[in-house]
Amino acid sequence: MWRKLPQNFILHIYGAGNYKDYVEQIAKETTNIIFYGFQPQPTIFQDILLITSECYVTFGMAISESISLATPVVCTDLGNPKLMIEKSNGGVIYKTNDFEFFYASLNKVIHNNTFYSSNALSYYEKELSDQINYKRLCDIYDKARTI
């Protein structure tokens, strides 16, 4: 779908794995796709995180990492990752295989980046931070001890 977008939409692809050579070749053939290979985490979460998985995911670790760094997320409507985006309003959910919706979702986040960034970080601090999770864990143990 990215090839159908205007040329000023630049996709940065990070990572390495079984499809590295394939992705690298596509990037070489397409002017608005840049493949960086493996990069350290701070480099990856500088723009917008795009989750295009067409599989059901139970917990999107990349999403929680992204919102902890105030990076907005655009993700598919499949599985649990969309729930975190719905709750946080830290990004936009698009319908899988719907190009017009995908394009509109990207535009929305690009033009309202500060709004989504702020929501993402606020949600992380209130719901996912280590302090919040430590308290929740202690509460579980305290409750278990009284049973």
Side-chain angles (χ1 to χ4, degrees), residues 92-110:
V92 177
I93 302 160
Y94 72 93
K95 296 175 186 169
T96 306
N97 296 320
D98 184 332
F99 175 74
E100 294 303 320
F101 206 94
F102 176 68
Y103 178 61
S105 298
L106 284 172
N107 256 331
K108 193 173 182 179
V109 171
I110 289 168

Side-chain angles (χ1 to χ4, degrees), residues 88-141:
S88 69
N89 201 15
V92 177
I93 302 160
Y94 72 93
K95 296 175 186 169
T96 306
N97 296 320
D98 184 332
F99 175 74
E100 294 303 320
F101 206 94
F102 176 68
Y103 178 61
S105 298
L106 284 172
N107 256 331
K108 193 173 182 179
V109 171
I110 289 168
H111 291 96
N112 299 290
N113 193 297
T114 302
F115 171 77
Y116 291 112
S117 293
S118 176
N119 289 344
L121 186 57
S122 177
Y123 178 78
Y124 173 79
E125 289 169 346
K126 292 176 185 170
E127 298 293 329
L128 300 174
S129 70
D130 53 346
Q131 296 89 356
I132 296 295
N133 281 301
Y134 178 74
K135 183 184 180 327
R136 286 181 183 145
L137 182 61
C138 287
D139 290 346
I140 290 169
Y141 284 130

Side-chain angles (χ1 to χ4, degrees), residues 10-127:
I10 308 297
L11 176 64
H12 299 166
I13 300 177
Y14 301 96
N18 294 339
Y19 292 100
K20 177 185 175 286
D21 294 339
Y22 175 70
V23 172
E24 198 169 28
Q25 186 60 39
I26 289 172
K28 286 178 184 174
E29 297 168 0
T30 311
T31 58
N32 63 341
I33 298 176
I34 302 169
F35 178 70
Y36 291 98
F38 179 82
Q39 298 292 317
Q41 186 187 40
T43 303
I44 296 170
F45 293 114
Q46 290 180 6
D47 299 314
I48 296 168
L49 178 65
L50 178 61
I51 305 290
T52 59
S53 177
E54 294 182 9
C55 301
Y56 286 89
V57 178
T58 56
F59 182 79
M61 188 61 135
I63 293 175
S64 60
E65 290 173 347
S66 181
I67 65 174
S68 76
L69 297 168
T71 302
V73 176
V74 176
C75 73
T76 61
D77 58 352
L78 296 175
N80 287 334
K82 72 176 184 178
L83 299 176
M84 197 178 309
I85 299 309
E86 288 172 344
K87 289 179 184 177
S88 69
N89 201 15
V92 177
I93 302 160
Y94 72 93
K95 296 175 186 169
T96 306
N97 296 320
D98 184 332
F99 175 74
E100 294 303 320
F101 206 94
F102 176 68
Y103 178 61
S105 298
L106 284 172
N107 256 331
K108 193 173 182 179
V109 171
I110 289 168
H111 291 96
N112 299 290
N113 193 297
T114 302
F115 171 77
Y116 291 112
S117 293
S118 176
N119 289 344
L121 186 57
S122 177
Y123 178 78
Y124 173 79
E125 289 169 346
K126 292 176 185 170
E127 298 293 329

